[in-house]
Amino acid sequence: MEKFLKDFVPGEVGSVVKISNTGKIKRRLYDMGITPGAEIKLLKVAPMGDPLCILIRGYDLSLRKDEAAEVLMEVK
Amino acid sequence: MKFCLAGNPNSGKTTLFNALTGSTAHVGNWPGVTVDKREGTYKKLSEKIHIVDLPGIYSMSPYTPEEVVSRNFVLDENPDVIINIVDATNLERNLYLTTQLLETDIPLVIALNMMDVVEKNGDKINLQQLEKAFGVPVVSISAIKKDNIDKLMQVAYETSKKTRKGYSVISKTEYADTFEKFVRLYDNENCKNKIFHAVKMFEADELEVSGYPSVASAALKVKENIDSTEFDGDFEALVADLRYRFISLHMSSVIKKLKKQEVSRSDKADKVLTHRVWGIPLFLLIMFAVFHFTFSEDFLFLNKLFGVEVSGDFWLTFFQLEEAGAVPSPGVWLQSWMGWLTGSLIDLVRGWLSNSPVWLSGLLCDGLLSGLDAIFSFLPQILLLFLFLSIMEDSGYMARAAFIMDRAFRKFGLSGKAFMPLLMCFGCGVPGVMATKTLENEKERRLTMMIAPFFSCGAKLPIWLAFAGIMFAGQYGDLVVFSIYLAGIVVAVIAAMILKFTVMKGETPPFIMELPTYHLPQFKNLMIRLWDKLKHFLYKAATIIAGSIVVLWFLSNFGFAFWNGMVSIEESMLGQIGNVIKYVFYPLGFADGADGWKFVVASITGLLAKEQVVSSLEVLAGAAGFEALLGGLSVAASYSFMLFNLLAVPCMAMVAAVHGEMASGKRTWQAIGFWIATAYVVSMVAYWSIRFWWIGVCLLAVIIAALTYMYCKNKKRLQKGVC
């Protein structure tokens, strides 16, 4: 099943299908290791509901829902 | 010889740099940007090695000042060796930068840091396999324990004697042939690091395309012939993917994880510190503790709660109290001793100069030393705040604080990271401005500095207290003080939004931030940072601050016919200037009347240091008395005066700090102009609104309408977070 990273619930795991954002932010996401095929686990959501904290390539990364809304995932 | 250190943030780069260079290190700015440039010397080899610490970066893309600075250094300044420090506990992402450094022709050594932690976790990293995969020497080190550091330098030294040819991960993939064509495009270009350039051209990197326009047009033709549906022709993404594929391919042979990762200590700490319910209260509690340690007159509330009181001569002297009272916090205690130190110094100099001309002792004691005293007395608290801030930064908690607070700050075009520096400004703006270094985005850094002085700092409090005791017959003192603090926050928020939507447009920085593993802060690193700040402060105090103090002293003690000797402040240049420019302040309400010029002069001296405002007013009040002078102002004029002092240039120390961080004289002047303009407008609006309530209502409606309009207009861009 495919869905966007922003719709994940804490604990959910999936792999990246594609990133629909363009430009700098996309490049930044790639640089941080969010590339197609990479496995992501949503660890938690900040107290005010945004940003998110994910586990990617063995480390913790935080990103906003706006950014996560562009990351299409295949749920595992 | 020139070596440079390159690596990800939080990879232990600064620790390694400090271990290598020790006391030879110094910090400056890279030209034109507010990015730290650290340099030092390593002396244990036969040659002296000049070491440059590049900023912590994740990639060599052209999107942040840090990345551009690092890239330009590597390409243009010909370092003899790049030492790439790699965090062994986070290999995959760290090696991503390594694949980019490999593309240069510069000799490269990988320093594999934190191997001890890896081994403690029961994992194994095969160094030979790593060397084979990347084709460069690998040395395992521990920067914290200083293990193998000399060996690293020895290997780096030997490596620097050899030549190396750039290597790209693309050359082992199905795009190898195409890539070869890109490399050949540079055959006629007179440049080094051709592989690096070819990769960047393949990625259609902004800086590369603008740097080699002729190659870029040829490159477009090559690309037309590539039939790849992967990534929809997004070559930047393709290359990033190839890099990670290359790393993943080698990971299985390089790293052997012995056991399944259990819950790490960081995860446990995060369960509490970023908890959905407890995260924010805990953060506020931590911030309160920091302020309490630095500013409280009643440490741990020992007096209020348990009635603990300091008495006895020894303890009164020890805590520098005049009468029996509560135990002060470390910050207040240190401040008192600093005050004692500078006070004694002034007395000493005054004693020496007792027989010299009045103007000389006046210049040195009442001018220079008293002025510096007002600023230096805050130095212990500035340093203490900065120390706490560094601890939070080094331990990894700062990133969590930003994570918790981000949502609230986004509306104003700032990210969660701006919260900490701004909060600091309630104590003192100087460490607050220094703390903007932790912000990744340069525009956000500048925006934060612009609104920093609007938060009411400790030195401004005496002004509010003076008015609180007099306005409304002293009945609502706490409300008066509170309303000023609140006004500062409101103005800061509105100013941030206005700046955001006008001159600093479309800059909501993205919030893609690593939450690093928690570390115990290194005492040595903390002290080095503190020492850097102290040096910086002393240098500024000796130049900008001392200079402006002398000028102001001269203006307030001499008339225009200054050869006639010293005069009272009324007849001084400053007094006369005040009498003329008071007309400029007429719309603000506090400048008219016989005493009006006194408030103008006090405000001007306040630009130097806010402690000066009350002392100037005391001097200017003369025989009629201080309270009568303040009491002469209406409520509207009092507020106007307070707001002007709240918002205008806070002090010379702050100007010096902002100048240091902005790294540009023009921007510093813009900031000064912005503060004075804001102060002027807000005071005027407040004055007329309090006098005629309907003006206030109308203005409020206009402001809200304007902000809403701007917000809606910019909403789309804010959401997209284009930067």
Side-chain angles (χ1 to χ4, degrees), chain A residues 33-52:
Chain A
I34 305 180
T35 57
E39 190 168 281
I40 292 180
K41 179 181 182 185
L42 182 69
L43 293 177
K44 59 182 167 261
V45 178
M48 284 181 258
D50 197 14
L52 312 172

Side-chain angles (χ1 to χ4, degrees), chain B residues 450-464:
Chain B
M450 294 291 253
I451 62 170
F454 299 159
F455 296 85
S456 177
C457 74
K460 292 172 186 168
L461 187 58
I463 313 173
W464 321 147

Side-chain angles (χ1 to χ4, degrees), chain B residues 228-249:
Chain B
S228 165
T229 49
E230 252 186 313
F231 298 96
D232 310 326
D234 182 346
F235 289 89
E236 220 175 6
L238 172 66
V239 174
D241 186 55
L242 292 178
R243 291 186 205 285
Y244 273 113
R245 265 197 250 166
F246 173 83
I247 296 165
S248 308
L249 188 72

Side-chain angles (χ1 to χ4, degrees), chain B residues 404-533:
Chain B
I404 293 172
M405 298 307 297
D406 181 66
R407 180 69 194 271
F409 268 65
R410 252 175 96 186
K411 295 230 160 24
F412 321 127
L414 294 166
S415 76
K417 284 197 156 191
F419 186 76
M420 195 71 67
L422 290 176
L423 199 63
M424 286 284 148
C425 294
F426 280 122
C428 175
V430 176
V433 164
M434 287 169 175
T436 57
K437 272 262 150 72
T438 59
L439 300 174
E440 273 174 36
N441 182 291
E442 176 146 12
K443 282 263 166 86
E444 188 185 8
R445 219 173 279 174
R446 295 218 312 268
L447 179 56
T448 310
M449 281 189 258
M450 294 291 253
I451 62 170
F454 299 159
F455 296 85
S456 177
C457 74
K460 292 172 186 168
L461 187 58
I463 313 173
W464 321 147
L465 292 178
F467 277 95
I470 287 162
M471 287 168 71
F472 309 113
Q475 272 189 15
Y476 303 108
D478 46 354
L479 282 181
V480 169
V481 175
F482 180 74
S483 64
I484 289 290
Y485 273 83
L486 197 65
I489 298 172
V490 171
V491 171
V493 166
I494 294 176
M497 290 175 89
I498 291 175
L499 283 175
K500 190 85 224 155
F501 296 147
T502 55
V503 286
M504 294 185 174
K505 247 182 177 168
E507 285 286 338
T508 298
F511 191 74
I512 304 168
M513 183 187 68
E514 183 187 1
L515 295 178
T517 321
Y518 285 104
H519 288 290
L520 214 55
Q522 293 294 303
F523 181 74
K524 190 182 165 190
N525 284 356
L526 289 175
M527 286 306 122
I528 287 175
R529 275 168 84 166
L530 216 55
W531 173 237
D532 282 342
K533 289 298 163 202

Side-chain angles (χ1 to χ4, degrees), chain B residues 186-364:
Chain B
Y186 284 86
D187 280 350
N188 300 325
E189 297 288 329
N190 178 25
C191 67
K192 285 170 285 187
N193 305 310
K194 284 188 174 147
I195 300 284
F196 181 90
H197 286 292
V199 175
K200 290 295 159 204
M201 191 55 83
F202 191 72
E203 288 179 339
D205 172 288
E206 280 172 21
L207 289 179
E208 189 65 28
V209 169
S210 58
Y212 296 89
S214 60
V215 180
S217 54
L220 276 181
K221 291 204 185 85
V222 178
K223 273 189 186 165
E224 279 170 9
N225 300 323
I226 307 173
D227 53 276
S228 165
T229 49
E230 252 186 313
F231 298 96
D232 310 326
D234 182 346
F235 289 89
E236 220 175 6
L238 172 66
V239 174
D241 186 55
L242 292 178
R243 291 186 205 285
Y244 273 113
R245 265 197 250 166
F246 173 83
I247 296 165
S248 308
L249 188 72
H250 292 283
M251 280 310 272
S252 53
S253 63
V254 167
I255 190 161
K256 291 269 178 295
K257 297 217 176 200
L258 284 189
K259 52 182 175 184
K260 192 106 179 93
Q261 281 274 311
E262 47 190 289
V263 183
S264 72
R265 266 193 318 181
S266 271
D267 292 343
K268 275 185 207 155
D270 259 352
K271 279 232 157 67
V272 184
L273 290 172
T274 58
H275 190 270
R276 276 209 86 149
V277 177
W278 302 117
I280 292 177
L282 263 172
F283 168 69
L284 295 176
L285 192 71
I286 290 171
M287 287 322 298
F288 176 77
V290 166
F291 273 78
H292 186 77
F293 259 71
T294 317
F295 293 106
S296 175
E297 307 272 347
D298 183 4
F299 191 49
L300 301 177
F301 300 113
L302 288 174
N303 185 288
K304 214 165 249 162
L305 295 178
F306 308 107
V308 177
E309 216 176 49
V310 179
S311 57
D313 283 348
F314 173 78
W315 291 112
L316 285 179
T317 315
F318 182 76
F319 287 116
Q320 285 287 304
L321 293 174
E322 278 168 18
E323 54 190 63
V327 181
S329 64
V332 172
W333 177 69
L334 286 172
Q335 188 204 13
S336 310
W337 275 103
M338 193 73 188
W340 175 84
L341 198 71
T342 48
S344 315
L345 189 69
I346 293 173
D347 288 345
L348 195 70
V349 175
R350 208 187 289 280
W352 283 342
L353 298 174
S354 52
N355 294 325
S356 53
V358 185
W359 68 265
L360 185 63
S361 71
L363 170 64
L364 285 179

Side-chain angles (χ1 to χ4, degrees), chain B residues 58-127:
Chain B
Y58 294 108
S59 166
M60 301 274 268
S61 59
Y63 295 135
T64 68
E66 285 82 358
E67 286 167 352
V68 176
V69 155
S70 305
R71 177 171 163 153
N72 290 345
F73 182 86
V74 169
L75 294 182
D76 302 337
E77 309 234 347
N78 302 316
D80 293 287
V81 158
I82 303 172
I83 297 177
N84 176 209
I85 181 157
V86 166
D87 176 357
T89 61
N90 191 352
L91 260 188
E92 267 187 273
R93 204 209 52 226
N94 272 257
L95 288 174
Y96 179 78
L97 179 66
T98 313
T99 63
Q100 303 186 38
L101 295 172
L102 271 181
E103 288 157 7
T104 67
D105 293 333
I106 302 160
L108 182 72
V109 176
I110 295 177
L112 200 59
N113 193 23
M114 304 196 221
M115 273 296 277
D116 43 339
V117 183
V118 173
E119 278 158 18
K120 223 170 82 186
N121 291 343
D123 301 340
K124 278 223 164 62
I125 293 177
N126 188 328
L127 297 193

